[in-house]
Amino acid sequence: MKVEIYSDIACPWCYIGKRRFDQALERFAGQGEVEVVFRPYQLVPDAPATASPHRAWLAERYGPQSRAMDDRVTELGKAEGIDYDFDAALHANTFLGHRLLHLAETEYGPAAQGVLKEALLKAHFTDGVDVGDRAALTEVAVAAGLDRARVTEYLAGEEGAREVREQLAEARQLGISAVPTFVFEGQWAVQGGQDADTFLKVLQQVAAESQGGAEHSSGAEQGGTEHGEACADGACAV
């Protein structure tokens, strides 16, 4: 079974969704036959190359509700073992990070990409790392197991940029407008940071459908996403 997870490094619900999906996968009897690949999505594609404080950016964009948004995610994150530090977090463009994830998938494999994804989320949300900075990204990648010389060479040029742009365009063509979105076997979509029990049930149902060859219309489990540029319970939408 192939699971493609559309998410952004700067999406707090993507971090929660990954942790919950990981928990479900650990409980799934067929976990050894599941391939998980992360696909790029940018909530703020026009974010400047120079990072700025997350709190200030969010307040400017969403007003007084921004603090409550962060507080809500922080509390939910604790249950998943995530230590959000929004005071330290930086608003940054995530395109370079997505290129790095593409490198990890294509040259190291999906498992290594998953390790890097977790490292990038932690770097952004817990450690206050500028995930739009090449030097900072290199250190995160090396700590996650990638080769320093290869990462340095890769980020210095434009390798992977075309492929990432194509994948971003594909996400738009698929109608994905909120993340995280989990696509199972290219047919079934689940949107939002669902709880682990829901993810486990979906894994079991998709496995049964795939094995049985039964007809099934694709649909989506919604995660409480609101219209507009906001992070509601379950997903971040643009």
Side-chain angles (χ1 to χ4, degrees):
M1 182 194 307
K2 186 170 185 176
V3 183
E4 295 171 280
I5 305 176
Y6 290 82
S7 69
D8 195 2
I9 298 162
C11 165
W13 273 105
C14 292
Y15 202 175
I16 291 174
K18 180 184 182 301
R19 285 289 179 89
R20 290 175 175 175
F21 182 79
D22 287 346
Q23 293 168 25
L25 195 57
E26 288 179 2
R27 295 161 52 193
F28 180 53
Q31 63 175 287
E33 300 176 0
V34 179
E35 178 183 87
V36 179
V37 178
F38 288 91
R39 298 301 185 202
Y41 189 94
Q42 284 192 286
L43 288 168
V44 189
D46 60 349
T50 302
S52 61
H54 162 83
R55 292 284 201 194
W57 171 80
L58 201 69
E60 180 179 354
R61 191 153 190 171
Y62 300 121
Q65 67 174 329
S66 63
R67 178 71 63 162
M69 291 165 60
D70 281 348
D71 290 347
R72 168 69 171 160
V73 171
T74 298
E75 286 303 310
L76 291 170
K78 290 179 181 178
E80 311 304 331
I82 300 171
D83 182 17
Y84 286 105
D85 186 350
F86 289 110
D87 288 325
L90 297 171
H91 173 59
N93 193 296
T94 58
F95 187 78
L96 282 176
H98 287 302
R99 280 182 55 205
L100 198 55
L101 287 165
H102 178 72
L103 170 68
E105 181 207 351
T106 55
E107 297 190 11
Y108 292 81
Q113 188 199 39
V115 172
L116 178 60
K117 179 71 173 186
E118 178 77 20
L120 287 170
L121 289 166
K122 180 179 182 295
H124 176 67
F125 285 111
T126 300
D127 301 332
V129 172
D130 178 0
V131 295
D133 179 76
R134 286 177 170 79
L137 282 172
T138 298
E139 296 306 316
V140 174
V142 171
L146 277 64
D147 178 73
R148 180 180 295 276
R150 178 64 180 123
V151 170
T152 301
E153 172 193 39
Y154 182 87
L155 291 179
E158 289 297 317
E159 286 185 81
R162 176 179 58 81
E163 290 84 353
V164 170
R165 291 192 183 97
E166 289 175 352
Q167 290 178 7
L168 289 168
E170 181 180 354
R172 292 192 294 271
Q173 292 170 1
L174 289 172
I176 294 173
S177 59
V179 286
T181 294
F182 300 75
V183 179
F184 297 77
E185 290 288 270
Q187 300 180 66
W188 298 276
V190 175
Q191 181 178 288
Q194 306 289 335
D195 58 63
D197 287 343
T198 297
F199 280 130
L200 177 59
K201 183 167 70 172
V202 173
L203 285 165
Q204 294 168 339
Q205 290 177 340
V206 172
E209 292 283 357
S210 300
Q211 293 171 3
E215 293 184 359
H216 188 87
S217 60
S218 58
E221 294 266 358
Q222 299 299 321
T225 304
E226 296 177 350
H227 292 295
E229 300 170 331
C231 290
D233 283 359
C236 292
V238 295

